[in-house]
Amino acid sequence: QKEVEQNSGPLSVPEGAIASLNCTYSDRGSQSFFWYRQYSGKSPELIMFIYSNGDKEDGRFTAQLNKASQYVSLLIRDSQPSDSATYLCAVATVGYSTLTFGKGTMLLVSP
Amino acid sequence: NAGVTQTPKFQVLKTGQSMTLQCAQDMNHNSMYWYRQDPGMGLRLIYYSASEGTTDKGEVPNGYNVSRLNKREFSLRLESAAPSQTSVYFCASSEGLGFHNYGYTFGSGTRLTVV
């Protein structure tokens, strides 16, 4: 049973701070990792994906992957109230046709 | 640029009624998926179609059927709705999950209430 674990939160940060969202996964065969953002009442939208160990940056977002520790994280710099949402971690495994999702972490950014 | 289109957006059913949720994508994706999302349960896979002509069960298939009508369309049918099927349903598509892939694109969802 492939599992993806996330702290449900809420994670509360002040505007302008760095928000750090974490995800662990159980299957060592996992090779692709995704972060989705979901606003209340809306569908998930892809923010970033990462395949290789290390960091990947896109604007204010940085995804970090450590396959040895089976850990992936998302950093949001200069957090804005508009970043308040639930962030879903998803994992793809070689040989499987589906993504496994974590239950998500709610992020609240206060002005 | 529609992406993934789901219909209807909202639906109320009485217990025992049937309905079909429609999903269509215009991105020429090979794979399509149906998920349900419930508070505290996250996204749970109902059925998926890795390619045209194939369908497979996911984590929670009981009470549902699917049809991959063609490469664009993937429908989800509830034959006899139950209150436990009250949920938000998302359709998604992807190019296919090879070694390097780009994840899913989701539709806007269908909010279904069974009374």
Side-chain angles (χ1 to χ4, degrees):
Chain A
Q1 178 80 4
K2 301 189 296 297
E3 294 184 347
V4 178
E5 300 287 341
Q6 295 181 256
N7 188 318
S8 61
L11 172 66
S12 295
V13 301
E15 184 175 356
I18 296 174
S20 177
L21 302 159
N22 304 315
C23 173
T24 60
Y25 58 94
S26 63
D27 191 337
R28 286 194 173 274
S30 301
Q31 89 281 6
S32 304
F33 306 86
F34 303 85
W35 283 100
Y36 285 83
R37 177 176 62 198
Q38 187 175 25
Y39 292 113
S40 181
K42 301 296 185 182
S43 59
E45 57 178 327
L46 182 65
I47 300 175
M48 293 190 70
F49 57 86
I50 185 167
Y51 306 136
S52 303
N53 277 328
D55 294 359
K56 179 181 179 182
E57 187 174 317
D58 183 1
R60 295 187 297 113
F61 299 96
T62 299
Q64 299 176 317
L65 175 61
N66 185 326
K67 290 186 177 180
S69 299
Q70 296 178 240
Y71 177 93
V72 58
S73 64
L74 180 70
L75 301 178
I76 306 174
R77 291 182 299 281
D78 188 23
S79 294
Q80 301 297 310
S82 58
D83 294 325
S84 298
T86 296
Y87 290 79
L88 304 174
C89 174
V91 174
T93 302
V94 174
Y96 290 86
S97 301
T98 65
L99 295 181
T100 302
F101 285 85
K103 294 182 179 179
T105 298
M106 180 182 292
L107 173 66
L108 298 175
V109 182
S110 55
Chain B
N1 222 12
V4 180
T5 302
Q6 288 185 237
T7 56
K9 294 190 184 302
F10 301 93
Q11 184 71 49
V12 179
L13 288 179
K14 294 182 179 178
T15 298
Q17 286 185 321
S18 62
M19 78 162 295
T20 300
L21 281 64
Q22 306 287 352
C23 177
Q25 53 91 9
D26 62 1
M27 296 171 287
N28 201 34
H29 284 172
N30 290 315
S31 303
M32 298 185 74
Y33 312 83
W34 278 105
Y35 283 83
R36 60 178 290 174
Q37 188 174 41
D38 303 289
M41 301 297 291
L43 285 163
R44 292 184 292 170
L45 181 64
I46 305 171
Y47 271 92
Y48 68 100
S49 171
S51 61
E52 187 179 358
T54 70
T55 60
D56 286 285
K57 295 179 180 179
E59 182 184 354
V60 288
N62 291 346
Y64 305 95
N65 285 301
V66 290
S67 296
R68 183 74 183 266
L69 305 170
N70 48 55
K71 191 172 184 180
R72 290 186 64 248
E73 298 173 288
F74 188 39
S75 63
L76 178 71
R77 183 161 178 83
L78 287 71
E79 292 291 352
S80 178
S84 61
Q85 293 178 306
T86 293
S87 187
V88 180
Y89 291 84
F90 288 106
C91 177
S93 69
S94 77
E95 292 182 359
L97 299 182
F99 186 76
H100 279 170
N101 66 81
Y102 302 97
Y104 295 169
T105 301
F106 283 89
S108 58
T110 296
R111 294 184 176 275
L112 175 67
T113 302
V114 183
V115 298

